[in-house]
Amino acid sequence: MAQSGSLIAFDLYGTLLSTESISKRLSEILGSQETGTQVAASWRKYQLEYSWRLTCMESYDDFYNITRNALRHALSEAAVRLEEDQIDQLMDEYDHLSTFPDVTPALQNLTKRPDIKTVIFSNGTKQMVSNSVFRSQDLSPHASLFTDLVTVEDVKAYKPAPAVYEHLAVSTGTQMGDIWLISANPFDIVGAGDYGLKTAWIDRNGRGWEDAAVPRLRPRIIGKSLDEVIKAILDDLSK
Amino acid sequence: MAQSGSLIAFDLYGTLLSTESISKRLSEILGSQETGTQVAASWRKYQLEYSWRLTCMESYDDFYNITRNALRHALSEAAVRLEEDQIDQLMDEYDHLSTFPDVTPALQNLTKRPDIKTVIFSNGTKQMVSNSVFRSQDLSPHASLFTDLVTVEDVKAYKPAPAVYEHLAVSTGTQMGDIWLISANPFDIVGAGDYGLKTAWIDRNGRGWEDAAVPRLRPRIIGKSLDEVIKAILDDLSK
């Protein structure tokens, strides 16, 4: 039996949803796979950088805006110009992302466990996250699994700010020690772990844990797929 | 005449001092220029990432430690192993960095202006910054130009946290509107500008301002060399 009051929170972008299709779309628009891959990587880099820098500055702009601004930075760095409607198209891709291949079977297994409460927990705006979950061809069939979409918009700070994890605990009415966070993003794992959540890291590349921002903070569980990670969490909860 | 009470604060790493020699030393140790350059770039990336993430987490570890931890991350990512004494050697490089070629003439010009108060303002620890300034063959002859070495160690947060810029103003007894910050690092320019400092950005690559973390925040002055930037500041101060 799952412990009463326990919760699994899923990070969304890079954890359930792959941004690979954005990279492909960029390559198509730019007419070069190399430039597309490069701009996509640099876009993601600036998206995260901006989220951290704004949080350091005790400032806030929503995830849609910083994602769009980060794209401009990445394009400028690659000396590429796009029209506004092409930028709109790229931003629209966020509403139609695919899940990673290991996600569907893992979520299917979880539907057999109605005793486990699950939520999405994302940096995105409510609008982005809602669109991403309900319009994704892969993820929307599982949308009913999630009892809530928790975003950072209410607290106006980004992961890994303590206020963000506090908001997750408060808005789900769960003690932080009863929350499992599943993320493929090391910065999220370290931030949640520092705040006292239990953390499970998806290591899809199988490289092992390399992050050393806070060397003592490592994920409680490491698995190569969502299925592996969820099984390990369910094992832990049944103890 | 400079306005009474005005101050020029210089960022250190990447602004006055180039970390190019670290990249060369890495290439020597690793026996490959390509791997050396790649690890050096990724080292710098994680050094900044860690400084931002810890500040978001309202946590702190000093710049020496996060720099060392970031190196481990970069080496692991490149699947390279180094011995502890090799890592020590690389960290020691911070005590013997060269200045960028445009720095010496600019600082020489500034010695003719004893009415201008100047300080170093860095993320580094007091020990690192002191070593970097007094042991650098290029920079140590100009050490007497700086009336203070202001570091973030006292406030236990990193740039661009407001507390860091507040600390600069308080510890130098200068109103923030009377402080010019010179930096080649866009995140520092944006943070200082948001806090009300006057900002001058050194654009050594001549790419122009690309940062879009806060689109309305742009440097007050942009110059391709320290000399250009200082001349523009002195012009402004003489108005």
Side-chain angles (χ1 to χ4, degrees), chain A residues 23 41 130 139 147:
Chain A
S23 179
S130 168
L139 195 53
T147 54

Side-chain angles (χ1 to χ4, degrees), chain A:
Chain A
M1 275 296 287
Q3 289 146 13
S4 122
S6 56
L7 175 88
I8 302 179
F10 292 84
D11 174 52
L12 186 58
Y13 302 115
T15 296
L16 297 182
L17 293 174
S18 162
T19 51
E20 181 62 29
S21 60
I22 299 186
S23 179
K24 279 193 193 144
R25 192 83 191 83
L26 257 166
S27 299
E28 282 166 23
I29 292 176
L30 301 174
S32 152
Q33 203 193 329
E34 199 189 331
T35 314
T37 308
Q38 177 206 325
V39 172
S42 138
W43 184 6
R44 171 67 173 165
K45 187 186 86 160
Y46 288 122
Q47 183 192 47
L48 290 177
E49 176 178 320
Y50 288 6
S51 75
W52 296 326
R53 285 169 49 193
L54 286 173
T55 303
C56 288
M57 288 166 66
E58 299 170 16
S59 190
Y60 182 75
D61 192 0
D62 77 39
F63 204 61
Y64 185 89
N65 290 336
I66 67 169
T67 300
R68 212 176 160 110
N69 292 340
L71 173 57
R72 286 184 198 283
H73 193 162
L75 290 169
S76 167
E77 198 173 70
V80 178
R81 284 188 77 103
L82 289 185
E83 303 299 325
E84 281 305 302
D85 67 320
Q86 290 174 309
I87 291 179
D88 289 341
Q89 280 170 36
L90 284 166
M91 289 300 298
D92 283 348
E93 284 291 319
Y94 269 92
D95 297 347
H96 310 281
L97 297 174
S98 303
T99 50
F100 290 97
D102 54 311
V103 168
T104 295
L107 294 183
Q108 271 166 348
N109 279 336
L110 208 53
T111 50
K112 296 170 198 155
R113 293 294 302 263
D115 54 324
I116 308 284
K117 193 179 165 191
T118 59
V119 298
I120 297 286
F121 173 52
S122 173
N123 263 341
T125 62
K126 281 186 190 299
Q127 186 71 59
M128 278 178 94
V129 170
S130 168
N131 287 351
S132 289
V133 171
F134 293 108
R135 296 189 186 172
S136 158
Q137 209 166 5
D138 299 343
L139 195 53
S140 57
H142 305 285
S144 64
L145 188 63
F146 307 107
T147 54
D148 202 358
L149 308 179
V150 181
T151 78
V152 307
E153 223 174 351
D154 294 319
V155 285
K156 299 201 185 314
Y158 285 103
K159 299 177 180 186
V164 168
Y165 302 103
E166 173 75 21
H167 174 61
L168 172 64
V170 169
S171 66
T172 59
T174 315
Q175 302 228 327
M176 57 192 179
D178 291 328
I179 301 176
W180 274 99
L181 174 77
I182 299 179
S183 180
N185 292 306
F187 70 90
D188 196 9
I189 293 290
V190 172
D194 194 38
Y195 195 67
L197 279 68
K198 293 186 279 190
T199 56
W201 180 55
I202 310 180
D203 178 22
R204 290 198 174 90
N205 300 322
R207 303 179 49 89
W209 183 254
E210 294 178 315
D211 195 87
V214 184
R216 73 182 160 81
L217 289 174
R218 299 174 63 86
R220 188 89 79 98
I221 286 169
I222 297 179
K224 289 190 181 156
S225 68
L226 186 62
D227 208 37
E228 239 184 87
V229 154
I230 290 181
K231 275 182 182 145
I233 292 177
L234 294 180
D235 268 359
D236 184 277
L237 288 175
S238 68
K239 274 176 195 163

